[in-house]
Amino acid sequence: MRRLVPAARDPRAVFDACAERTQNAALRTQLLACGPTIALLANEYEELAKNSALNTFSDTELYPLPAPRKELGELYARVLRDGGERPTYDSIMQLAHQSICPQCGIGRVRTLDHYLPKGRFPELAVVPLNLVPTCRDCNFDKNEHHSSDEGDYVFHPYFDDWDQYRLVSATIAYQPYVSIKYSIGSPHNAPPIVITRATTHFRVLNLAALYSMNAGASLAEIKVNCLRASTQGAALVRDYLRDQEDAAVRSAPNGWRAAMYSAMAKDDAFWNGAYNLI
Ligand SMILES: [Zn+2]
């Protein structure tokens, strides 16, 4: 759930550039004639996204278009991803910080996800604001997820910023072995719609399992650090965990580390010695 700054790209120019690279002259003419409508839809998309209202995006089938909708969808793979407009595709991929997937905060960006799915909205197939750099898992898990329910939408990295909320919550499970369980909490400062959407985001992208796995892989190292701190007393273990939480919150308030260290620092049994069960 990391915010990205989108590239300032004119959606009409990107669409026209893709359409121009169509060799079939008749199809090229049809596609280019779609330009004004694509620009209109891209503008509507941006306005709705700014207001977290993409669930109300037009039923695009109502718009008469001179080219078959299937051909609009195919522009993405044929020209943007695998053809002559690949530099535009690459420049959108590069919006992700350190190539880290903005949706999970863990995976490596390998693909562009159509935020409003291409199957349902082929008119948005090459609209830059609808193309989000993600890892393969997030793209696969989200797939064609789409709903007209306002709470049923994942985080949109170009328009949403949830860093002011601590939405991700963790607890320590001790049976059958020490593990960290994740969920979306209800921070008092977060609007209900953000909590609902964060819950959708977690469920659709299967983040509870991913976060738990990453936390599990870090536990052995944390045990070593707790043991080292404990030579100065248990309170120092708690201080160490709080310091780690503080650093993690600064870097990713809704990442798996921030919630994990918060749970450990709050769990009296853990910092008093239960870390030895790891
Ligand atoms: Zn991801």
Side-chain angles (χ1 to χ4, degrees), residues 63-267:
Y63 285 77
L65 282 162
R69 298 176 82 235
K70 178 171 162 287
E71 295 292 344
L72 292 169
E74 288 181 358
L75 271 183
Y76 171 74
R78 178 165 61 81
V79 185
L80 196 70
R81 190 188 67 198
D82 303 332
E85 292 302 312
R86 177 74 190 203
T88 298
Y89 179 97
D90 288 339
S91 71
I92 298 173
M93 294 262 281
Q94 286 161 10
L95 295 174
H97 304 280
Q98 311 280 3
S99 296
I100 296 169
C101 173
Q103 298 295 42
C104 63
I106 293 170
R108 178 162 73 96
V109 165
R110 299 288 302 280
T111 181
L112 295 181
D113 175 58
H114 288 86
Y115 187 84
L116 288 188
K118 181 162 60 71
R120 170 90 186 241
F121 301 102
E123 300 83 358
L124 300 174
V126 299
V127 169
L129 287 177
N130 194 43
L131 299 173
V132 175
T134 64
C135 71
R136 287 202 198 282
D137 277 357
C138 284
N139 195 3
F140 179 82
D141 286 343
K142 181 169 160 288
N143 196 13
E144 292 282 315
H145 180 78
H146 170 68
S147 162
S148 53
D149 179 347
E150 69 169 340
D152 204 10
Y153 272 81
V154 302
F155 179 75
H156 198 315
Y158 300 145
F159 296 98
D160 296 319
D161 185 357
W162 295 348
D163 277 1
Q164 61 201 293
Y165 316 119
R166 296 280 302 274
L167 295 159
V168 178
S169 177
T171 54
I172 304 172
Y174 289 96
Q175 297 295 334
Y177 48 81
V178 176
S179 63
I180 311 298
K181 306 291 185 197
Y182 287 89
S183 60
I184 295 297
S186 302
H188 61 87
N189 66 335
I193 187 63
V194 170
I195 294 173
T196 305
R197 285 189 57 207
T199 304
T200 298
H201 184 87
F202 234 55
R203 172 177 52 80
V204 171
L205 302 181
N206 289 305
L207 293 190
L210 180 67
Y211 282 19
S212 190
M213 188 186 77
N214 275 266
S218 72
L219 289 177
E221 189 177 316
I222 291 170
K223 179 180 180 181
V224 170
N225 288 330
C226 287
L227 283 168
R228 187 177 292 145
S230 71
T231 59
Q232 307 284 319
L236 269 290
V237 176
R238 188 187 53 199
D239 290 350
Y240 153 71
L241 294 168
R242 283 179 176 165
D243 285 348
Q244 294 294 107
E245 178 191 357
D246 189 47
V249 168
R250 284 164 197 264
S251 111
N254 288 304
W256 61 270
R257 285 188 184 82
M260 176 186 72
Y261 283 116
S262 173
M264 289 173 169
K266 282 185 189 139
D267 185 324

